Every structure is written in structure tokens, then in C-alpha cells.
Amino acid sequence: MAIIVDEKTKVCVQAITGRQGRFHTRQMLDYGTRVVAGTSPGKGGQEVEGVPVYDTVEEAVDKRGATASIIFVPAPFAKDAAFEAIDAKIQVVTIISEHIPVHDAMEIMAFAAQRGVTVVGPNTFGVISPGKCKIGIMPNRIYIPGPVGIAARSGTLSYEIAYQLSSAGLGQSTVVGLGGDRVVGLDFVDCLRMLERDPETKAVVLVGEIGGSAEEEAAEFIKGMTKPVVAYVAGKSAPPGKRMGHAGAIIERGRGTFAGKIDALKQGDAAVAELPSELPALVKQALERV
Amino acid sequence: MKLYEYMAKELFGKAGIPVPAGRLAFTAQEAADACAELGPVAIKAQVLAGGRGKAGGIKFADTPPEAAAAAADLLGMAIRDLAVDRLLCEQKLSIERELYVGIAVDGTTRRPVLIASVQGGVNIEEVPEKSIVRRRIGVTWGLFGYAAREVVRRMGLDEPAAGKVVDILLRLYRVFRQYDAELVEINPLVILTGGEVIAADGRCNVDDDALWRQRDLPQTTEGTELERKVKSLGLSYVELDGDIAVMANGAGITMATLDIIQRYGGRPANFLDAGGGAGVEPMTRALEVLIATKPRAVLVNIFGGITRCDDVANAIVQARRTVKTDVPMVVRLSGTNEDEGIEILARDGLTAYRSMEEAAARVVALAGEAN
């Protein structure tokens, strides 16, 4: 098992002929992901890294049976790309693109909800079930299969944490990047719900940051979970009113503070790490209790 | 991008929301002229920050000389460190009641949310939850009249004000959508003694990521000169008040780096995210910027993923040659090919660390010595 993606997932790369699309198609193929098609309007009939290119996602679904897509399309055209994937009955749409207008993101999420489609991102590094399938831009070498599910709002910090866990022999079932934007598809609660049901997952690591209320909602959900959750939240020293790199990482009108999130998570019975390097030990302890 | 009150009100006015007659003034004379034209006025400092009223940023004047004096006071002041350089002079209103209405992007529901209260004129965060009416709006269909009427009913408003507020809510939603706003707010929305309903204040924060399709909007600039300069390089930068310059790759890891420095008793000078990719070119530019701020020490914290640590190390060596500096630098490298990276730096006389904590402790010590 695993969540969201596994060895059966067939991936279509939207904007496969671009620099990023081409590079990450190679990386995903190297990882063993079944990249079955790519799209690039007007470039149907070409091949990229041996993967057939189509003009539309519908063709990629009809001819190659794509079930998931990854979007590298630049922000101004990303809404169109996401709607195309959802309309073509793609089940999991991962949006890597950054700087998508938040109104576009709201429209994408409304359409996806209407069609029952899972959206990961935007502004995410993607999702990986180690040893099975990687849809994203994360490095190939830092993950090993195992019992820890990870849901994270930020890319590199989650790489760092996955790497530390892997180095300590703690493998991962699925690692999900929620994305750094204010409006994203999957949130912590969605991930926790799926990881709670996933037989392979024995413990969960939540990597949060200041801004919004996703951690507070997660804390509420954790109260009803049987699996242990270990959390780390970045941004303790962040001043209010400043965007810390991510559009969603901002303390506004007294909301989204570090202290509020830590309090909520502790009340929700999550173990809270003060430093990222404390996570492997806390995860080990949590797994021993299972 | 935040718009000034007068800019937001211009958008509101265009959308048919009643706003007071007003004139923009950059000098005391212009404020006096506005008063001569409009009669008794409220003179309001225009700054891109909240809390203006409490900071004394609003004054009233009945005559042109009074307006000139009030304007002279206001133009000299700073609100939340922002210098006041422009004033909005508006016809004084005879207020009976103050309401709050706003529409914001709600990350939790991934929808716009309408927020309203009969307790206007104060910060909405200070209004008790039971006095606030919220209603989520389906972005596909927009705000319907019935939904706005229901909000107004729950606010407890009576006719004729109720119908006028419904009309304003519908128009406000149009502004929110048309200009890619993250937030539109009228606080207070006032009921005048004559029964008219009018936007006494106005706020409109436009999504930075949508500015490419909002070219007709006026431009405002936020942040310090340095922040603006670094942002124009495509890097994410926030100036802080400490003395240890920080560069890391990725927003989350950069925040975590600042947290750890603070935990070890140091004070970070900035947030600088060189991007998750940790490409060589942006890192070189980032280092140049940091050195130019004359920090006591620099901490570079890189997780090598797809970009390998040895490439990152070579980039740091390269950047140090280009920038030429005596500022002590601590580097932490972790991830793919970290051993090779650390060795490359060692050959250049730089000790690199594997652990974030060790690196942070070291940079805090170095910054202390430089004191």
C-alpha cells in the first residue's frame, strides 16, 4: 500500500517539452515511475526521453491510460492545464508551478472537488511512495521504503527530514508536499486521514510552518487518530506581517502564529520536535510504542 | 500588493459603492484647498498598514487653516515606521452606525469568505466571534443576492439600510474578483444620520501573483529598498534586525535556519531563500547581496538534492572569489555528495558542517567575536 500514488500509477507530464518537464521526466523515469505520456500543445507526435508527446491530456488518457498528471506549465497557463487534466478524468493532478494567482487556485479546487479529483499543490515538490512511484521534483536518492508517512508544507525542509529519517534507517510509506501557497488542494487533514487508513504507515511526520490554520485543523484531527504523529513547525522567529518565502507563510492579523500551532499540536497529542534533528529519535520512540 | 485607501476607494467608487467626496493632498496647502472645496474634512494619513486611527493618523478640520495645520502634523509623522507622504481629505461624515464588511481568500475552505459585523470601526480581530457573520462563497457561481440578504439578516440590520448593504456586498464581491484581490474590506461601512450607507474606509490587497494581468492598477511599493532590490533579482528576501546574514535553499529550511540561530542566542539579519533548486547562479547573486549588508557573520545552509553538494561547494568557492570578503562564513552542507562538498570547501579554507545545530552554534560564536 501507500497513499495517492503507487506502482500502478501512470503519469502524464504536462509541458513535457519544456526544460523542467524534460529534466524531471528523465528523473522520474530513472526512479521507476511509469511516465506513459507527455503533453505540449502543437508538439504531438514527438518523443521526450522515449515518452510519446500528445497535444492534449485527453489523448494521453485515451491512448496511454494516464491516471495522474504533473504540471510544469508556467503560472499564467496553469489554470488551463489543471482544468484540462481534471476534465480528462485524471485522478491525481500534481501542480509544481509556482506563482499561480490565488483566484485561479480557488477555481481549480472548486472544479476538482466537483469532479472528485485529488489535487496536490500548487507550488509543491510533489508526492512520492518510495520504491514505487515518484511524481515530483524531489531528489531520487534520499528516500527509502518504510513505515513513516510524511506530509509537509515545504520542499527542502522535508527533503532534509526524509534524508535524516532514511539515514537513521526509518523509511517512508508516502511523502506528500502540500505546497507553499495559500490555497492548495490536499491539506494536512486529507493526508492524515489517508495515512491513518494506510496499512503500511505506522507513524506520521507533519512538517508545518507559520501562516494559515492547516496545523491547527490537523491537531484537531490527530486527537481521533490511532497512529502517532510527530510534528515540526518552522517559523518560530518569523516577524508578523512578512511573507517568509511561501505565499502562505505569513502571520496576519494575529493568526497563523508559531505558538498557536505548537499549542494546538501538543493539545492534539502530537509529539513536537523543537529541531528537525530531533525527529528521527521521536519517530523511533513513536514506532516503539505502536 | 496593498493599495492605499484612496486607490481602493477609487475602485469601489467605479464599482458603484458609495464613497465620500475626497481629494488627495501631498502638501498642507493642498489639504487647505481641499477643505475650501469640500467644507469640514477628515484628513487621513495614507499608509500601507493598519492601526492608523490608534496611531493618530486621522485628524479633523473645519476650516482651511485648520486643515493646513493638521496636514502639516500628519505629513511629518510615521505610522508603523512608514513615513506619511500623502493624505486623503474627505468630506466629514455624520455617522449613526459603523459596520464591518470584508471578503478574503480562505485557505481552509479554498474559497472566498464574506465576513460582516455590526461592530465596525475597530479591528475585526477584536470583535467577539458571536458578533461576526461569515459566509463562504462558491467561486464558480459567485455571490448571489439571497446569500448577501441572509448575511445582512444575520447581522440584524433593518430596512432601508439592509437593502443598501446587500447592494454594496454584491458590488464588493465584484471588486474582489475583478482585481484578483486577496482581501477587500470596508471598515467602517457607515450608516449616516440621513440613512445613506457609505464606505468610510477602504482596503484592497491584490495578489502579487496576478499583477501580470492587473496592469491597469496603480502600483505601490512595499518593503525596504534592499528588500525591493533583492526581490527584483527573483529571490525571496525579508530584512530582519539581527547581525547574522542567512542564506538557505527553500522557504521552510530558511525559516528553520533562523529559528535555530535564535535558539543558540544569535540574531538573524535576514531571511533569504535562494530557491529549492540551489542553482549556482542564484546562490552567487544571493551571497553578493548578503555580504553587501555588512553582517557580522554569514551562515549558508544548503540541502543538496538534485543539485549535488559538490556543485554547491564549487559555487560557494566561486562566489567568495567574486565577492571578496573578510566576513566570517559558516557553511552547512547536507544531502547528496556531502563528503565531496565538504572537502572542496576545506581546500578553500572553509570548515563546513553536516549538522545544522553545529553550524548555527559556530556562526553565533563568530558573530559574538566580531562584536
Side-chain angles (χ1 to χ4, degrees), chain A residues 118-256:
Chain A
T118 299
V119 176
V120 183
N123 191 12
T124 173
F125 58 90
V127 50
I128 182 168
S129 297
K132 293 174 181 150
C133 179
K134 166 185 128 162
I135 301 183
I137 57 171
M138 57 290 251
N140 284 354
R141 289 170 292 257
I142 59 174
Y143 305 95
I144 56 172
V148 185
I150 304 179
R153 275 173 72 185
S154 56
T156 344
L157 184 56
S158 83
Y159 304 167
E160 163 101 32
I161 287 165
Y163 179 71
Q164 289 189 17
L165 291 175
S166 294
S167 302
L170 298 161
Q172 305 91 39
S173 52
T174 300
V175 180
V176 190
L178 306 182
D181 284 356
R182 185 180 286 246
V183 168
V184 293
L186 278 187
D187 62 17
F188 279 130
V189 172
D190 298 323
C191 292
L192 291 172
R193 188 177 291 124
M194 287 189 271
L195 291 167
E196 170 77 1
R197 276 197 237 121
D198 173 40
E200 200 178 312
T201 303
K202 306 292 178 210
V204 180
V205 172
L206 183 154
V207 185
E209 63 193 31
I210 54 149
S213 58
E215 290 79 6
E216 287 85 338
E217 289 143 27
E220 209 43 53
F221 185 83
I222 292 167
K223 287 178 186 167
M225 282 177 67
T226 59
K227 294 176 184 173
V229 177
V230 182
Y232 173 77
V233 178
K236 186 177 186 180
S237 59
K242 295 277 187 181
R243 280 220 155 93
M244 305 303 274
H246 284 156
I250 179 168
I251 298 168
E252 282 173 311
R253 309 166 151 221
R255 291 186 61 213

Side-chain angles (χ1 to χ4, degrees), chain A residues 25 37 43 77 79 101 111 218 225 274 281-282 290:
Chain A
T25 297
K43 294 185 181 164
F77 315 105
K79 181 173 99 176
F111 189 44
M225 282 177 67
E274 287 198 33
L282 288 172
V290 173

Side-chain angles (χ1 to χ4, degrees), chain A residues 102-103 160 185 253 274 277, chain B residues 110 181 185 207 263 332 357:
Chain A
V102 72
H103 282 246
E160 163 101 32
R253 309 166 151 221
E274 287 198 33
S277 61
Chain B
R110 307 168 183 85
E185 192 178 70
D207 179 8
R263 188 185 156 102
R332 184 268 181 160
E357 289 79 4

Side-chain angles (χ1 to χ4, degrees), chain B residues 190-238:
Chain B
V190 300
I191 303 175
L192 301 180
T193 43
E196 243 187 299
V197 180
I198 187 168
D201 199 353
R203 189 184 283 199
C204 181
N205 297 352
V206 180
D207 179 8
D208 288 335
D209 289 334
L211 292 178
W212 57 271
R213 63 184 178 198
Q214 294 293 348
R215 297 245 169 86
D216 294 339
L217 284 177
Q219 299 292 307
T220 62
T221 45
E222 268 180 274
T224 65
E225 202 177 315
L226 186 63
E227 282 176 347
R228 295 207 295 270
K229 187 186 146 200
V230 182
K231 272 184 188 148
S232 72
L233 295 173
L235 300 166
S236 190
Y237 185 83
V238 177

